[in-house]
Structure formats: structure tokens, C-alpha cells
Amino acid sequence: MLAFKLFGTFSLSLMSQPAMSQEGLIVKRSGEWVAADFTAEELERPGRVCIRFNNFWCLKRAGWQGEVGHDSRDHTKFSESAYAARAFFKTMRTYRYLHGLKSTSEIFNRYAPQSDCIGSLPRNSRTGECPNGENPSALYARNVAAALGKGPDEDIELFVDRSTVRWEVAKQLAKAVVAFELGREYSVTDALLRDGLKRANLEVAD
């Protein structure tokens, strides 16, 4: 699931276009969280596919509600970012109740397995190496666990039961994943997360 941040040069024809806000995505500027606005040219930069696709958790295509396309690496394009939030929480429920995954070590060894390359890029056909390295699954698990005040092998206790999540855990989990996927300067609004939970038919225990 990891999106790798790269930069390059782009057509100047897009630079005059106005900035656009990605619904629910925020960025820290001068110590303040503000709406993340991008010009069309900025959105086209390599490494921003998950932002451009309203997919702040860099989820792969799976016939999700709101899925309107995908790229060559199977990153899902969502019509609205709330559908991506829905898909993220449904993924977490599947991990917990179908696969029995409770700790961040278990969750992120599946979400971003070390056997895959960063950015979902193919391995070099000759050497078998990943262009930008393999997914740092253990680091991912440690970072998210720290955001939750847990160790990577502890149960994160996201779910009260199949239909109810603990809000503080859900919020911190979702935001920690966004920060790891997009960069520490990015986060998402509580309103977006609550919308995603509602669309996933999950109740919230505050």
C-alpha cells in the first residue's frame, strides 16, 4: 500500500490552473493544519497518485463502492475521499474478523508486506530487487503503534464488536496510516473519518 514520494518536471500548461482542495485532506503549514490545496500540475507529480485518486490510505482495487478507476499498480481511484475512508475501515474489519489480526505487526505485515516493493513497483527482472526498496513493514507497524500508545505486538482494541469501533483508536489509526503513506505533514479531518465509518455501517463508541 505504500506510496513512494518522488519529484520531477511537468508541463507548464497546467501551472495556470487554480488550486483545488482534496476533500478531507489537511496539511500542516507554519504549525497550523489547513486544507490541502493543489494545482492540477501539483497533483500530477509522481508520488501523489493516492492524493489525486482521493485515496489517502493508498488502497488497492477490490470492487469498492465509489471505485471509478485504478492505475497500473492497482491503486484505486475513488469518486470521493469518503469512499476511501469507508474502504479503509472495512479493510480493518476484515483483518480483525476474517483474519484475526489485532496488533499493528499483524495488520501491517498484511497491509504493506515486506515481500512487496515500495510504491507497488515491479522488481528488477534480472536482480529481483525493488527499485526503491521493500516495504518497511516493521517500521510501519512501530510508527502506527506509537501513535496509538501501544507496542507493535499489542492488541490495538479497535473494535468493541463487529459493528462498533472505539472512536479514539479509529481516528488515531486512520491518521497514522495517512501520515505514513503520504508524509508526516498530511492528515485528515475527523469529519471525513466519521463519514467513512458511517458509510461502512460502523457505529462509534466515543
Side-chain angles (χ1 to χ4, degrees):
M1 305 276 182
L2 284 171
F4 192 69
K5 300 179 80 174
L6 300 171
F7 298 92
T9 56
F10 307 92
S11 171
L12 296 176
S13 64
L14 295 172
M15 294 187 67
S16 61
Q17 297 191 20
M20 298 171 287
S21 178
Q22 300 304 109
E23 187 68 32
L25 185 66
I26 53 179
V27 62
K28 201 164 197 176
R29 293 180 181 146
S30 302
E32 299 290 333
W33 289 105
V34 297
D37 295 328
F38 300 91
T39 64
E41 181 267 339
E42 288 170 337
L43 279 177
E44 289 298 324
R45 290 179 179 173
R48 287 186 175 164
V49 63
C50 295
I51 295 175
R52 188 166 68 248
F53 280 8
N54 295 314
N55 181 3
F56 310 142
W57 295 269
C58 294
L59 296 155
K60 299 297 183 67
R61 63 172 172 155
W64 299 112
Q65 280 189 18
E67 187 175 313
V68 294
H70 60 88
D71 67 5
S72 61
R73 293 171 287 166
D74 279 345
H75 293 116
T76 300
K77 181 177 182 179
F78 289 99
S79 60
E80 300 175 50
S81 53
Y83 281 121
R86 171 190 180 274
F88 174 74
F89 288 121
K90 286 184 73 69
T91 297
M92 292 301 105
R93 180 164 57 187
T94 297
Y95 282 6
R96 172 64 182 85
Y97 289 104
L98 182 61
H99 302 295
L101 310 183
K102 299 178 182 180
S103 70
T104 60
S105 287
E106 294 170 331
I107 290 167
F108 293 100
N109 274 321
R110 186 179 184 95
Y111 194 88
Q114 190 173 349
S115 57
D116 289 352
C117 297
I118 289 175
S120 303
L121 297 170
R123 290 178 179 271
N124 184 294
S125 59
R126 183 176 59 84
T127 66
E129 295 180 349
C130 293
N132 302 308
E134 296 175 333
N135 285 336
S137 307
L139 177 62
Y140 206 149
R142 289 196 302 270
N143 280 18
V144 176
L148 298 173
K150 298 277 188 177
D153 297 316
E154 291 184 72
D155 185 348
I156 63 172
E157 300 180 299
L158 172 60
F159 289 92
V160 177
D161 53 42
R162 278 183 175 270
S163 61
T164 310
V165 298
R166 293 178 174 87
W167 167 243
E168 285 300 321
V169 180
K171 177 174 68 173
Q172 296 304 326
L173 173 66
K175 292 184 178 186
V177 173
V178 169
F180 201 87
E181 293 286 349
L182 304 184
R184 287 182 296 177
E185 68 272 29
Y186 291 103
S187 189
V188 287
T189 63
D190 290 1
L192 173 62
L193 298 180
R194 287 191 180 273
D195 193 354
L197 286 165
K198 182 177 180 181
R199 294 183 190 215
N201 295 316
L202 285 167
E203 299 293 329
V204 174
D206 286 306

